[in-house]
Amino acid sequence: MLLKDKVAIITGSARGIGKEIALTFAREGARVVCVDINLDILAETEKEISALGAQVLSIACDVTKSNDVEQVVNKTLDKFKKIDILISNAGITADTLLVRMKEEDWDRVLAVNLKGTFNCIKAASKVMMKQRGGSILSTASVIGLIGNVGQANYAASKAGVIGLTKSAAKELASRGITVNAIAPGFIQTHMTDRLPEQVKSKILEKIPLQKFGTPADVAQLALFLVSEKARYITGQVICIDGGMV
Ligand code: NAP
């Protein structure tokens, strides 16, 4: 087992990529702290993880609120005494063309995707610094590298996550903490299910492997990057996109 007795906090784990990462880590021996804004849907993740025989703690938290995030860290320490892994994965979209984009669409996407990641890294890294070790992984996106029509807010937030990752990696390396980001392409989840079929088929044309990714594909990359096998990798952004970028 790659994560035996490790304690992992995973945000946005009620569904999609975060849920699959939580299940994958639990199968690999981790004790998982599932965090999401929606506690009702999170209950299903908790049930599935418990059924694997793994220890799980579910916490409702809005990652845009630093107090909520600090509560997550405190509750995790109360129950499990340490934090080995942080997966900052909660994210949203509010797509529209730049000229039509409302200020609140910009603010909301930046608040969840970028400020939320800042809040989580700040709170968890304080604990990891004292422990002199840990792994932090954030979910960026290929859109943060290449941009996209209708996603100026999302692209800016994910490019921000990449800059944040690279800076945090440099600040935290001397304490034995690795900080990386993954940049998924098109992964089949609730987030992408909402796109119109014609948009999906246009995206598919741009994917050399000619298929969409699955949350399980992403979870395997996350597993590798937070495991001992990746202990010499930090400050990196790894694309998982079927060859798109
Ligand atoms: P998803 O299925 O929508 O899951 C995201 C989860 O985050 C949802 O449960 C969502 O709750 C939760 N969340 C939203 N706002 C939150 C907040 N303020 N605090 C805490 N939790 C919050 O999305 P996904 O596709 O798995 O995406 C996961 C991450 O991967 C995101 O950061 C996304 O940007 C990134 N990503 C996804 C793709 C893709 O193709 N799917 C590609 C590149 C990057 P609600 O549903 O209740 O809002």
Side-chain angles (χ1 to χ4, degrees):
M1 286 206 246
L2 287 178
L3 303 181
K4 193 161 172 10
D5 297 330
K6 298 283 186 193
V7 175
I9 296 176
I10 302 142
T11 72
S13 45
R15 54 174 141 223
I17 293 169
K19 178 178 180 179
E20 195 58 39
I21 290 175
L23 284 162
T24 302
F25 285 12
R27 281 186 212 105
E28 290 292 332
R31 288 169 277 172
V32 291
V33 180
C34 292
V35 173
D36 206 285
I37 200 159
N38 188 331
L39 202 56
D40 290 342
I41 307 178
L42 202 52
E44 181 53 36
T45 308
E46 180 174 322
K47 220 165 89 186
E48 290 180 38
I49 291 173
S50 297
L52 296 169
Q55 288 189 64
V56 54
L57 172 65
S58 297
I59 308 173
C61 159
D62 178 348
V63 295
T64 67
K65 297 185 176 146
S66 56
N67 283 347
D68 275 23
V69 173
E70 273 159 28
Q71 279 304 308
V72 168
V73 165
N74 292 338
K75 286 179 183 166
T76 303
L77 290 176
D78 284 347
K79 185 162 169 87
F80 295 128
K81 314 293 176 218
K82 61 173 185 165
I83 301 168
D84 299 299
I85 297 163
L86 165 69
I87 307 290
S88 176
N89 165 80
I92 59 166
T93 52
D95 298 351
T96 189
L97 293 175
L98 184 58
V99 289
R100 289 194 202 136
M101 193 172 284
K102 295 196 184 97
E103 194 176 336
E104 64 247 36
D105 291 333
W106 174 270
D107 288 346
R108 198 157 50 92
V109 170
L110 268 288
V112 177
N113 298 3
L114 182 55
K115 187 180 173 199
T117 297
F118 162 73
N119 285 340
C120 293
I121 292 181
K122 184 175 174 188
S125 65
K126 281 185 192 161
V127 177
M128 291 178 179
M129 282 168 84
K130 284 195 199 129
Q131 293 170 180
R132 298 211 152 253
S135 303
I136 297 173
L137 185 67
S138 300
T139 313
S141 167
V142 291
I143 303 306
L145 294 167
I146 60 172
N148 196 20
V149 172
Q151 291 200 301
N153 49 359
Y154 185 77
S157 72
K158 296 300 187 178
V161 167
I162 291 169
L164 171 59
T165 297
K166 288 179 179 288
S167 301
K170 289 193 164 132
E171 286 189 22
L172 299 172
S174 64
R175 307 297 177 99
I177 302 165
T178 62
V179 190
N180 292 294
I182 49 178
F186 188 106
I187 309 300
Q188 284 173 308
T189 67
H190 176 74
M191 184 178 270
T192 47
D193 285 346
R194 288 172 288 185
L195 293 171
E197 282 309 316
Q198 79 224 49
V199 174
K200 287 190 202 170
S201 52
K202 277 206 165 149
I203 296 170
L204 194 56
E205 283 168 18
K206 293 184 189 147
I207 303 176
L209 283 180
Q210 297 179 343
K211 58 184 174 190
F212 297 133
T214 66
D217 295 326
V218 181
Q220 288 303 315
L221 175 62
L223 173 62
F224 168 72
L225 285 170
V226 302
S227 76
E228 266 299 295
K229 289 175 189 279
R231 66 184 176 199
Y232 200 56
I233 300 176
T234 197
Q236 301 305 306
V237 184
I238 313 289
C239 289
I240 173 156
D241 64 353
M244 234 171 132
V245 171

